[in-house]
Amino acid sequence: MDELTVKNITKKYSKKAAPALKNFDYAFSNGVYGLLGPNGAGKSTLMNIIVGNLAASEGEVFYHGADIRTIGEKYRSILGYMPQQQQLYEGFTIKRFLYYFAALKGLSKKEANERIAELLHIVGLYEFADRHLKTLSGGMKQRVLLAQALLNDPEVLILDEPTAGLDPRERMNIRNYIYSIAEKKTILIATHVISDVEQIAKEVIFLRKGEIVLSGTPEQVAQEIGPFIWEVDVLKEDYRRVNEMYPSNRVAGERDGLVSVKVISEKRPELQEVRSAAVGLEDVYMYLYPNERR
Amino acid sequence: MLNLITAEIRKLLSRKFLLIITVVLSIMLFVRFFIYCRDLKLFENRDYQKIRAEYQYSEGERDVEQLAEKHSIPAEEIVGIFLILDSQYEYIDQYKDFIDGIPKRADNLRQAVIFSGEKSYAYRSIDKCLNDYAGLKPVTIIPDMDTGIQALSEYDWSYLFVAVVLLMACAILLKDEEDDGILGLAQTTKNGKIPLALIKWVTIILFGSFLSGGIACGRIIIAHYVLGLGDIDRSLQSISSFRNCYFNISVRQWLACIVLFAILVSVVLGTVSLALLTLLKRIAISVAPIAAGIGMGLVFYMTIPINAKMNSLKFINLCALADVGNLFSVYSNVDLFGYPVSVLPTLFVYAGVLFALALSIYLLSFSGVLVVSLPRWRIQRKLRIRGTVSVFSHELYRFLIPGIGTLTLVGYLVFSLNQLDYGKLKLTQRDYIYYTICQDLRGEVGEETLQKLSELEQIYSAQMHQDMDRIYYRDAMEQVTKELNLLLSAKDRGVAVHYISEVVTKGVFESSHHFLLFGFLLAGVLSLSAAPLFSEDWDTGLSGLVRTTKRGRHSVFLCRYSVIFLMYSIGFFGYMIPYIVNWIHRTHLQEWSVPLQSVVGFSMCKGNMSIRGFMILWLCAAWLSGLIYPIVLSALSGVVRKKGTTLTAASAIMAVDFLCSILNFPVLRSIGVSGTYGLMRIVQETGSVAIVYISLIKNVIIFAVIIMLHYKKYSE
């Protein structure tokens, strides 16, 4: 059975404005879901509606078949949310911040002691537990926020840019941990870092202007976009010409004076020795948002 | 350079929190001083001048009644002025003797200390005293209105407020910029070391000077307009309390000293704050030596006697420099290794050395030459993952620790304990006579009370021999008769009134201005402390996170309001209880249950209510009314969602409400929440006890509506 069902959600911030989210309809079960799209695609609006911070103009969100607005506190007790932000309570230490959220999540003292110690080890902040939040780097703050989201061992975990500001090692650790707990949880990750979800996502959802443009397992979306991704080796000095002809491209590597270029085009590019390419989520992203900045 | 200083000043002025604190506390200081001056006021300055003219030309003849008629001044006021003039003219004669007698007294003292030897501190002090007063012979004493000078001579605590504001300003210019990384960036530029340090120093000095100088000038203006300063070109010794002053200066010069010394203290405090903040890096650690220095200085200054062996601790102290009244009115020397040294030059040297040292430390540490590494004890401590899971405790921590809540509460408790008065009533001769009559008449008012009064009249008439006592007695009898007539009219309306002395009741029932001032101060400070509880969530964006948790809506809302209620109640009852305790101490308990009309000011009131009932209702209404501000501010933060805008809006509402009460707008003052604090005055003026109920109901409704609206908004 689907854990979380988002039913025809539309969100308009004002009557005249275009909808930030339009007829979003999706069913989530256990596993990791990647939510991808450029700025303004509606990712944060969707997350805020799912966590109950924002009321939808139309549609409902159901958890195990019950409207989340009706079950309120019961839903919030199985919810973990990590927003994308850097400002925390400046007067708090890491430990106090986590105990505050343990209190807000209704954990008992014993549960809080055990869980906070465990999570501080997981996010690598155990030795810094008494440090004030204002003295932390951006990456450390991200890890504190992730720890608080996991405090109540949530069944539904909503993560907004969970690895922003982390170094590669920390990013890998966090990604591995999320994957390790995903079996019994519904995890929704909104991110710009495609590699964060590419390896661990059960399904990915691409959004544009509040609508789903493509969704499915990474393999399914790759397969769907596969016919439009080409690869060609060109001389280094010729790359500028290729770039002008096919602006939707990306350099995949360089060897022996030849540059390997992935070109996104619905027609076979008019270049020599063009071949079909292995498709990754980054290529899908390039295909879906050709002229848009991330 | 000027542009950079202007930019730094703009940084300070753009901080709404600093501005609001500065403006609100300055107003409070002025209002407090105004009330103090008003309480000192016994008669108008112009009346004094008129009677002084008569006094000079008609010495010996004192037809008070005639003078009262001629100048349209109440007789009792003329008597008071005559008393002052008597003492002033007596002082003129005494002063000449005092100065002429110094050499003779010095000879006598030399005899007394002969066993200490000529090299002793005492012996040297006598010689120094002779020299100090040698230049004072030509001083002419001119009697004039001097109550304003006396008010200004009182110890001025405003430098403590300046110290707090300066520390906040220093933190803004140094710590906030350091935390944001801007300071580090600025320090890499060409003028980023000593020039930038000097620009910040000049900014702090200018800010502190304007603030302290402004407060000092404000106090002088208030003293001048409320009490009068007299001819400010007369010698300072013309005021009897400055008899021992050995500086040949005028009142004008002394007033200039008040302003200059206040500025000097702020310059030293500002430089020391900058030095400590730059050197120690952490605000909490920098505040400790400043607070300890001022605290110890105050203890030494207040407790060490002027002629004690260790009086150097008393006088080599910034707290002494703030006491311009005492510095010029008390003759003493600092015992410096057995040598007597004048206090003022010693203080200047001390302030100069402290200033130079602080400025050097500041410049050196700002430019990175002087670095102090403080040990981080926390890292060495064994880490324990233990904490509380009570939402209330965490919210209380948020209120107390990062904000100014703790300081406020401690300040209130100290201040309120100071209000407790178990001593005997301090009464003037006139009030003593009145109080004695009242004590004899205590009890239920009836026809027999009038009989008792006439008996007392006979007894007291026989006892009064002196003219002044007779005038006081007549005056007191007039007041008692007037009060009894008012109470009898209440009795005729069927109210079983009792006679209670006004001397006792005015401590509580005539303190509307005190309550109003206190109410605003408490509500204002509480509002500022409570504001971050909700608004910080919106400012940081954490509201979105808090609200997604299980207890992030109802419990958090309830706990935050509980913290506000608790802290406000501690402040409120902490202030009010001493008033009540003092009153219980002065009255018989049974007098609490007598009708409210027994308090003369309320004798015309309609409605049945005991004094106890009125006090309970009034306390409830006042408690609720002050609580509304922090609640309005919290609710506003939910709508506006920006701390700065919320604080500005709340300050504007408070200012309008406060002005309505102070300016006594008949309609608006009772609508305003602050009307409750001035409720006693309103009930007396309107004669309606029902106003207390209306006020209570009005506050309950406002209170409930605001909380409900806020809850609805918060939980949606």
Side-chain angles (χ1 to χ4, degrees):
Chain A
M1 187 187 173
D2 294 328
E3 306 286 324
L4 192 69
T5 313
V6 180
K7 203 91 181 148
N8 284 322
I9 290 283
T10 296
K11 176 67 189 175
K12 273 187 162 188
Y13 285 101
S14 68
K15 281 182 182 173
K16 287 180 184 173
L21 210 58
K22 202 172 166 186
N23 295 324
F24 186 94
D25 200 284
Y26 214 88
F28 301 91
S29 55
N30 285 343
V32 177
Y33 291 81
L35 197 57
L36 300 162
N39 289 333
K43 300 191 296 289
S44 294
T45 303
L46 176 65
M47 289 200 151
N48 273 310
I49 290 171
I50 291 175
V51 298
N53 273 337
L54 207 57
S57 308
E58 286 170 31
E60 291 95 26
V61 180
F62 296 98
Y63 176 69
H64 283 303
D67 190 333
I68 61 163
R69 283 173 301 181
T70 320
I71 52 174
E73 196 175 294
K74 193 181 161 195
Y75 172 65
R76 292 199 300 276
S77 66
I78 55 89
L79 185 68
Y81 175 46
M82 177 195 175
Q84 184 192 0
Q85 70 170 81
Q86 286 292 303
Q87 280 186 294
L88 306 172
Y89 296 134
E90 289 204 337
F92 277 25
T93 59
I94 294 177
K95 197 165 77 178
R96 182 170 281 279
F97 185 79
L98 292 178
Y99 272 100
Y100 178 56
F101 274 90
L104 291 180
K105 289 173 184 238
L107 268 66
S108 69
K109 197 166 180 165
K110 188 171 173 281
E111 284 170 336
N113 291 340
E114 288 169 6
R115 193 80 182 127
I116 288 170
E118 183 193 347
L119 285 168
L120 282 172
H121 279 298
I122 288 168
V123 297
L125 289 174
Y126 190 83
E127 302 84 58
F128 306 101
D130 280 333
R131 281 268 292 271
H132 274 92
L133 294 173
K134 65 180 172 187
T135 64
L136 303 185
S137 68
M140 288 167 102
K141 283 181 183 172
Q142 284 290 104
R143 285 186 275 159
V144 173
L145 282 169
L146 180 66
Q148 74 70 31
L150 295 164
L151 271 172
N152 54 334
D153 195 15
E155 289 175 28
V156 177
L157 185 60
I158 312 291
L159 307 172
D160 199 352
E161 297 285 350
T163 58
L166 300 187
D167 65 36
R169 180 84 216 167
E170 290 165 350
R171 181 174 290 173
M172 200 178 68
N173 285 343
I174 298 295
R175 197 163 55 206
N176 292 347
Y177 180 72
I178 291 171
Y179 183 70
S180 72
I181 60 171
E183 199 182 339
K184 291 178 182 173
K185 296 182 197 305
T186 303
I187 302 173
L188 184 56
I189 302 175
T191 183
H192 285 140
V193 186
I194 290 166
S195 60
D196 278 354
V197 287
E198 189 159 32
Q199 310 298 327
I200 61 170
K202 179 177 163 186
E203 287 179 31
V204 286
I205 303 158
F206 288 91
L207 281 175
R208 183 165 55 200
K209 291 179 182 170
E211 289 183 276
I212 298 175
V213 284
L214 188 64
S215 65
T217 62
E219 294 76 27
Q220 281 171 343
V221 294
Q223 203 173 2
E224 203 159 324
I225 303 303
F228 314 121
I229 311 292
W230 311 91
E231 193 163 10
V232 61
D233 294 329
V234 294
L235 287 169
K236 207 171 176 181
E237 51 270 29
D238 289 339
Y239 173 67
R240 185 174 286 181
R241 191 172 57 88
V242 173
N243 195 29
E244 281 168 8
M245 285 171 68
Y246 298 98
S248 286
N249 74 77
R250 70 180 181 95
V251 176
E254 186 192 334
R255 200 170 60 185
D256 303 330
L258 289 174
V259 181
S260 177
V261 183
K262 276 191 169 179
V263 174
I264 293 123
S265 171
E266 294 198 356
K267 289 180 186 168
R268 186 184 179 86
E270 291 169 359
L271 296 165
Q272 285 182 342
E273 292 183 38
V274 170
R275 59 186 182 276
S276 291
V279 180
L281 284 184
E282 215 161 295
D283 304 312
V284 177
Y285 194 97
M286 292 289 288
Y287 173 77
L288 292 172
Y289 314 108
N291 296 315
E292 292 172 76
R293 285 175 162 270
R294 284 197 307 169
Chain B
M1 182 89 169
L2 204 62
N3 283 343
L4 290 172
I5 293 172
T6 316
E8 295 289 331
I9 290 173
R10 274 193 189 143
K11 277 182 207 167
L12 290 181
L13 297 182
S14 65
R15 293 303 183 101
K16 289 193 181 74
F17 188 72
L18 179 75
L19 269 189
I20 291 170
I21 287 267
T22 309
V23 172
V24 169
L25 287 181
S26 301
I27 291 172
M28 296 301 175
L29 280 175
F30 288 143
V31 173
R32 191 179 182 280
F33 188 65
F34 173 80
I35 293 170
Y36 173 69
C37 287
R38 205 197 49 193
D39 290 347
L40 276 183
K41 189 174 185 171
L42 295 172
F43 38 76
E44 293 293 335
N45 186 17
R46 60 174 182 276
D47 295 343
Y48 169 86
Q49 301 300 345
K50 284 177 195 166
I51 302 301
R52 190 178 64 157
E54 298 280 352
Y55 186 93
Q56 283 168 330
Y57 296 113
S58 59
E59 213 169 328
E61 297 171 29
R62 288 186 184 176
D63 193 336
V64 174
E65 298 294 337
Q66 194 195 341
L67 282 172
E69 205 174 309
K70 182 180 170 188
H71 296 292
S72 310
I73 305 171
E76 64 205 73
E77 199 176 306
I78 294 177
V79 170
I81 295 172
F82 270 132
L83 275 173
I84 299 283
L85 283 164
D86 281 345
S87 66
Q88 286 181 331
Y89 278 92
E90 196 180 325
Y91 167 65
I92 294 177
D93 297 334
Q94 282 177 355
Y95 186 75
K96 195 172 176 306
D97 295 341
F98 166 71
I99 293 294
D100 293 341
I102 286 175
K104 196 181 172 191
R105 282 202 302 280
D107 281 341
N108 292 340
L109 281 169
R110 276 199 193 100
Q111 300 294 320
V113 297
I114 196 75
F115 298 109
S116 308
E118 289 184 16
K119 288 181 180 174
S120 69
Y121 169 77
Y123 199 90
R124 286 172 182 140
S125 293
I126 297 165
D127 283 343
K128 186 172 178 299
C129 177
L130 268 175
N131 291 333
D132 288 340
Y133 281 101
L136 273 181
K137 282 186 179 168
V139 168
T140 313
I141 304 295
I142 302 164
D144 206 334
M145 190 69 178
D146 54 14
T147 337
I149 307 285
Q150 283 168 20
L152 287 168
S153 304
E154 287 298 311
Y155 194 78
D156 175 18
W157 298 89
S158 56
Y159 73 97
L160 295 177
F161 150 67
V162 173
V164 173
V165 173
L166 276 178
L167 199 67
M168 284 167 71
C170 293
I172 288 170
L173 292 190
L174 290 172
K175 280 307 291 173
D176 282 8
E177 289 197 355
E178 191 183 329
D179 290 347
D180 296 342
I182 298 169
L183 190 65
L185 186 66
Q187 282 178 324
T188 60
T189 59
K190 185 186 162 195
N191 292 325
K193 299 285 178 184
I194 299 288
L196 183 63
L198 284 173
I199 285 163
K200 287 187 184 290
W201 175 74
V202 170
T203 308
I204 290 295
I205 296 311
L206 281 177
F207 181 69
S209 301
F210 273 112
L211 185 62
S212 52
I215 292 171
C217 288
R219 283 165 55 88
I220 293 171
I221 292 166
I222 291 170
H224 172 64
Y225 280 104
V226 179
L227 296 168
L229 301 173
D231 175 11
I232 57 169
D233 286 319
R234 69 190 191 278
S235 63
L236 187 59
Q237 286 81 358
S238 297
I239 295 110
S240 57
S241 54
F242 286 86
R243 187 191 72 162
N244 294 335
C245 174
Y246 65 95
F247 296 100
N248 206 345
I249 62 168
S250 64
V251 171
R252 183 192 295 275
Q253 288 165 321
W254 180 73
L255 293 175
C257 284
I258 291 182
V259 180
L260 290 174
F261 283 27
I263 293 174
L264 181 62
V265 171
S266 78
V267 167
V268 177
L269 280 174
T271 314
V272 170
S273 302
L274 278 175
L276 289 173
L277 214 58
T278 322
L279 187 71
L280 304 176
K281 304 285 182 208
R282 283 179 257 169
I283 294 176
I285 295 176
S286 310
V287 170
I290 296 173
I294 293 178
M296 278 168 61
L298 262 176
V299 170
F300 289 152
Y301 187 68
M302 296 293 175
T303 55
I304 298 176
I306 51 170
N307 290 321
K309 188 85 181 154
M310 294 296 286
N311 75 352
S312 50
L313 289 174
K314 180 185 180 79
F315 291 118
I316 304 178
N317 185 343
L318 272 189
C319 302
L321 197 58
D323 193 3
V324 188
N326 203 45
L327 279 177
F328 285 85
S329 62
V330 175
Y331 181 82
S332 59
N333 290 297
V334 180
D335 184 352
L336 219 59
F337 309 112
Y339 285 90
V341 185
S342 298
V343 173
L344 214 50
T346 314
L347 259 177
F348 284 141
V349 171
Y350 166 69
V353 169
L354 187 62
F355 168 75
L357 194 69
L359 187 61
S360 313
I361 290 173
Y362 166 61
L363 293 176
L364 289 173
S365 49
F366 191 90
S367 51
V369 177
L370 186 65
V371 179
V372 171
S373 301
L374 291 170
R376 290 199 172 261
W377 298 285
R378 190 169 287 157
I379 288 170
Q380 293 165 7
R381 209 177 64 194
K382 194 182 170 192
L383 184 67
R384 291 182 68 208
I385 302 298
R386 291 280 182 276
T388 172
V389 285
S390 149
V391 180
F392 179 83
S393 304
H394 287 291
E395 295 296 348
L396 189 64
Y397 179 86
R398 286 185 63 212
F399 179 95
L400 290 174
I401 301 303
I404 50 173
T406 319
L407 278 177
T408 310
L409 279 181
V410 171
Y412 265 110
L413 292 177
V414 171
F415 184 71
S416 62
L417 283 175
N418 200 33
Q419 303 285 310
L420 280 172
D421 182 11
Y422 281 104
K424 285 185 178 173
L425 272 173
K426 296 174 191 73
L427 301 172
T428 61
Q429 179 68 4
R430 182 254 172 224
D431 282 347
Y432 176 74
I433 293 171
Y434 164 76
Y435 185 63
T436 315
I437 300 169
C438 292
Q439 291 300 91
D440 290 333
L441 292 175
R442 226 165 175 168
E444 190 169 347
V445 175
E447 287 304 318
E448 62 279 12
T449 318
L450 285 176
Q451 273 180 1
K452 207 170 177 183
L453 183 66
S454 65
E455 284 168 21
L456 284 174
E457 207 164 355
Q458 287 169 4
I459 298 167
Y460 282 113
S461 297
Q463 289 175 353
M464 301 294 162
H465 300 299
Q466 290 185 353
D467 288 351
M468 291 310 298
D469 283 351
R470 266 203 292 277
I471 292 169
Y472 286 146
Y473 162 70
R474 201 175 58 199
D475 182 44
M477 268 301 180
E478 271 176 23
Q479 188 183 340
V480 171
T481 313
K482 204 161 45 177
E483 286 170 0
L484 272 178
N485 285 334
L486 285 168
L487 293 176
L488 281 168
S489 71
K491 173 97 180 164
D492 290 345
R493 295 199 309 275
V495 186
V497 286
H498 281 232
Y499 188 69
I500 308 171
S501 166
E502 198 201 2
V503 170
V504 175
T505 58
K506 73 178 175 188
V508 172
F509 293 98
E510 301 291 332
S511 299
S512 287
H513 284 291
H514 286 281
F515 294 147
L516 191 66
L517 182 68
F518 147 75
F520 268 97
L521 196 59
L522 179 64
V525 175
L526 251 292
S527 299
L528 291 175
S529 306
L533 285 182
F534 284 100
S535 63
E536 194 182 9
D537 277 5
W538 297 113
D539 276 2
T540 56
L542 278 171
S543 63
L545 180 55
V546 171
R547 283 155 45 84
T548 60
T549 58
K550 184 182 173 188
R551 299 166 73 183
R553 299 195 182 192
H554 312 288
S555 299
V556 163
F557 188 86
L558 272 175
C559 289
R560 286 179 184 174
Y561 271 107
S562 304
V563 168
I564 295 172
F565 290 174
L566 178 72
M567 293 296 112
Y568 173 78
S569 302
I570 291 174
F572 180 82
F573 290 107
Y575 183 87
M576 285 298 174
I577 284 172
Y579 273 95
I580 311 295
V581 171
N582 288 346
W583 207 54
I584 292 172
H585 180 61
R586 303 258 187 256
T587 51
H588 296 302
L589 267 180
Q590 60 267 31
E591 283 174 347
W592 280 76
S593 53
V594 303
L596 176 67
Q597 286 83 348
S598 305
V599 178
V600 175
F602 295 87
S603 61
M604 301 307 286
C605 284
K606 292 176 189 127
N608 292 323
M609 193 181 284
S610 65
I611 292 177
R612 183 175 48 212
F614 176 80
M615 286 303 295
I616 291 170
L617 275 178
W618 176 77
L619 278 171
C620 291
W623 180 75
L624 276 175
S625 73
L627 195 50
I628 284 171
Y629 281 116
I631 288 169
V632 165
L633 193 70
S634 302
L636 261 178
S637 71
V639 180
V640 181
R641 298 188 175 185
K642 278 186 179 168
K643 195 159 76 180
T645 320
T646 310
L647 287 175
T648 312
S651 307
I653 296 170
M654 242 172 116
V656 170
D657 196 1
F658 184 63
L659 280 176
C660 287
S661 270
I662 288 286
L663 299 176
N664 218 5
F665 286 138
V667 180
L668 288 175
R669 67 168 183 178
S670 56
I671 292 173
V673 175
S674 61
T676 315
Y677 278 98
L679 198 61
M680 289 188 181
R681 197 179 57 190
I682 299 173
V683 173
Q684 287 179 34
E685 284 169 14
T686 56
S688 171
V689 178
I691 284 179
V692 188
Y693 289 110
I694 295 168
S695 181
L696 185 62
I697 293 165
K698 175 193 76 181
N699 287 338
V700 169
I701 292 171
I702 296 174
F703 184 80
V705 168
I706 293 171
I707 289 201
M708 272 162 56
L709 288 175
H710 188 197
Y711 181 71
K712 199 175 166 215
K713 183 86 187 159
Y714 188 79
S715 59
E716 71 186 14

